[in-house]
Amino acid sequence: MAKMNENFLNLKESYLFIEISRRIGEFSAKNPDVQLIRMGIGDVTLPLAPAVVQAGKKAFDEMGVKSTFRGYDDSGRGYDFLREAIAGYYKGFGAEIQSDEIFISDGAKSDSGNIGDIFSDDCSVIVTDPAYPVYVDSSIMGGRGVVFTDFLGSDLPEKADLIYLCSPNNPTGAVYTHEQLKKWVDYATAKNAVIIYDAAYESFITQPDKPRSIFQIEGSRNCSLEICSLSKTAGFTGTRCGYTIIPKELMLTRSDGSTASAYSVWSRRQSTKFNGVSYPVQRAAEAVFSPEGQRQIRDNIAIYQANAEIMTNTLTELGVEFSGGINSPYVWFKCPNNMDSWGFFDFFMEQANVVGTPGEGFGKNGAGWFRLTAFNTRENTQEAMKRLKNILK
Ligand code: PLP
């Protein structure tokens, strides 16, 4: 008899995007001539940079020639050329990591869920609420209990094993300072816990004093691993490439009290369950870190950042409390006039024909908050903000 993993029964119904589609469908059926402005999308809208496309095409050509064809990447961890490019990029902002501590993957979503494989089922997990839903759902699938706290960890439990942190944060756009992150590192060290640090939005950081990687924090190599992605950095949501960095110093505790290196356990896990990212995609990813690639992706990010600024300027003008936008493509604001998230969703859609994401979809602390994203055109962003001003007058 194939018994079900009944941990799945403990998952909350993920109704957020289904409910959003249902409400949009109902509205559009009643108002067929109205074009909604979609500010809820967490997906990029600008195409890949030319340097990236060129590198990917060239690699595909190599795959069609016997002398340059490649089959499996036997290491399964990614090619040296890409891992060295990433290590060089980290060095550029003062995070010392070795290229062989990097595991190339198909993205941060799978890594942030799959990383649970290397930890015991009875580890407890701390998640900052509101959060990217994968941390909570994948922990529940693994049978682990989740304890919630806020972004700064103001109310931390006595026992901690795994800690998911995300900065710049989805959905709030908040970013840790060095001091705030150091507190987490000290807490994890004291509890012998592991921080799983999601840096998927690091490239949106504009304030140079903010850390882009947990490995800029003293003491982090003994208690942290980092997951990152080219999805938002370079428009790879449909191309798929990310990476996980596991320092060789990071140790896991065995039941007999001895230790095992997290790096070796993850390495074993990946070589068993993963056959690597395609060669052309890794070549395209390498081009992201070339001087030309960096210039081109920065141009795209600047477009999103300008949209975020239009939003933050409007919210400031309206006196609405918000976070994000400065180091993030997300702007997170308190629903005006004490409306709840869904009440504001309907109000904004019906009165301004703009769609965003109700905050409570990201956790209990998201109730009464709302997320807008900068992944749109400048014209749409400007128009949406003009309409927001009109309806809040
Ligand atoms: N981590 C965070 C915080 C995200 O918001 C997202 C996507 O929205 C991801 C990871 C997923 O990244 P990827 O496309 O690399 O799987």
Side-chain angles (χ1 to χ4, degrees):
M1 194 189 326
K3 288 193 183 165
M4 177 189 179
N5 172 357
E6 293 199 353
N7 293 323
F8 278 70
L9 301 176
N10 298 325
L11 293 169
K12 281 215 189 91
E13 205 51 58
S14 163
Y15 76 106
L16 177 72
F17 290 101
I18 299 169
E19 181 59 18
I20 290 174
S21 304
R22 192 191 67 75
R23 290 188 192 213
I24 292 175
E26 206 172 274
F27 176 85
S28 299
K30 280 192 209 141
N31 304 278
D33 300 329
V34 174
Q35 278 285 340
L36 292 170
I37 300 181
R38 306 244 180 168
M39 306 282 284
I41 40 168
D43 198 353
V44 292
T45 49
L46 294 169
L48 292 174
V52 170
V53 174
Q54 210 176 13
K57 279 185 180 168
K58 183 169 169 280
F60 256 118
D61 284 341
E62 288 173 40
M63 294 295 264
V65 176
K66 195 165 185 342
S67 59
T68 49
F69 166 79
R70 297 189 189 226
Y72 289 124
D73 159 18
D74 286 334
S75 79
R77 296 179 195 172
Y79 291 105
D80 287 348
F81 60 76
L82 177 54
R83 300 196 300 164
E84 275 157 21
I86 294 168
Y89 174 72
Y90 272 63
K91 203 170 184 177
F93 51 76
E96 281 292 339
I97 52 161
Q98 304 306 314
S99 61
D100 68 349
E101 295 175 319
I102 302 169
F103 296 81
I104 305 302
S105 73
D106 64 344
K109 187 179 206 173
S110 32
D111 279 359
S112 53
N114 292 336
I115 197 73
D117 278 10
I118 71 169
F119 300 105
S120 162
D121 291 355
D122 59 5
C123 284
S124 69
V125 184
I126 295 179
V127 173
T128 64
D129 177 359
Y132 180 52
V134 177
Y135 316 145
V136 175
D137 286 356
S138 60
S139 299
I140 290 173
M141 287 174 190
R144 299 193 181 93
V146 179
V147 178
F148 293 100
T149 184
D150 60 13
F151 188 63
L152 298 180
S154 345
D155 182 21
L156 287 171
E158 250 327 289
K159 179 174 148 53
D161 301 316
L162 307 179
I163 304 163
Y164 275 100
L165 299 182
C166 176
S167 175
N169 189 267
N170 179 12
T172 67
V175 62
Y176 288 121
T177 62
H178 283 260
E179 294 69 33
Q180 289 163 347
L181 209 44
K182 177 77 173 100
K183 279 193 187 155
W184 279 108
V185 166
D186 290 344
Y187 172 72
T189 306
K191 301 292 173 193
N192 205 5
V194 171
I195 294 174
I196 300 166
Y197 191 76
D198 186 339
Y201 297 94
E202 63 76 23
S203 61
F204 284 82
I205 293 179
T206 55
Q207 294 171 316
D209 61 329
K210 299 290 189 303
R212 307 174 80 104
S213 161
I214 194 152
F215 299 122
Q216 287 169 269
I217 310 300
E218 201 195 326
S220 60
R221 287 182 60 88
N222 292 301
C223 67
S224 323
L225 59 88
E226 179 161 314
I227 295 172
C228 198
S229 165
L230 297 185
S231 282
K232 311 296 160 88
T233 299
F236 269 56
T237 50
T239 305
R240 311 303 307 147
C241 194
Y243 52 91
T244 287
I245 305 165
I246 307 191
K248 299 266 177 66
E249 293 94 316
L250 184 66
M251 292 292 159
L252 309 179
T253 309
R254 289 163 49 163
S255 51
D256 65 3
S258 63
T259 55
S261 119
Y263 173 90
S264 311
V265 186
W266 180 245
S267 203
R268 184 71 174 83
R269 188 267 175 212
Q270 287 298 80
S271 62
T272 301
K273 293 195 181 179
F274 188 59
N275 255 337
V277 174
S278 77
Y279 173 71
V281 166
Q282 291 195 56
R283 279 292 184 198
E286 179 193 22
V288 168
F289 300 98
S290 69
E292 199 187 3
Q294 283 290 301
R295 258 194 314 277
Q296 293 172 354
I297 64 145
R298 296 284 2 147
D299 286 349
N300 281 359
I301 290 172
I303 292 171
Y304 299 136
Q305 282 169 329
N307 291 342
E309 196 179 349
I310 293 169
M311 293 192 273
T312 55
N313 285 345
T314 305
L315 293 169
T316 305
E317 207 181 305
L318 290 168
V320 173
E321 188 185 342
F322 72 90
S323 65
I326 298 164
N327 297 299
S328 164
Y330 298 124
V331 178
W332 176 253
F333 62 93
K334 190 143 184 47
C335 298
N337 307 323
N338 287 326
M339 270 185 246
D340 64 41
S341 301
W342 282 110
F344 183 71
F345 175 90
D346 290 335
F347 175 71
F348 203 17
M349 179 169 68
E350 282 158 18
Q351 303 299 315
N353 305 144
V354 179
V355 178
T357 311
E360 66 190 55
F362 300 96
K364 198 161 60 68
N365 290 348
W369 291 78
F370 206 74
R371 190 191 77 173
L372 293 181
T373 88
F375 298 125
N376 214 312
T377 60
R378 186 181 180 84
E379 294 69 35
N380 278 348
T381 309
Q382 278 170 330
E383 179 59 29
M385 290 302 103
K386 193 171 105 191
R387 294 183 195 172
L388 180 67
K389 277 195 223 167
N390 282 341
I391 59 167
L392 293 184
K393 249 187 207 153

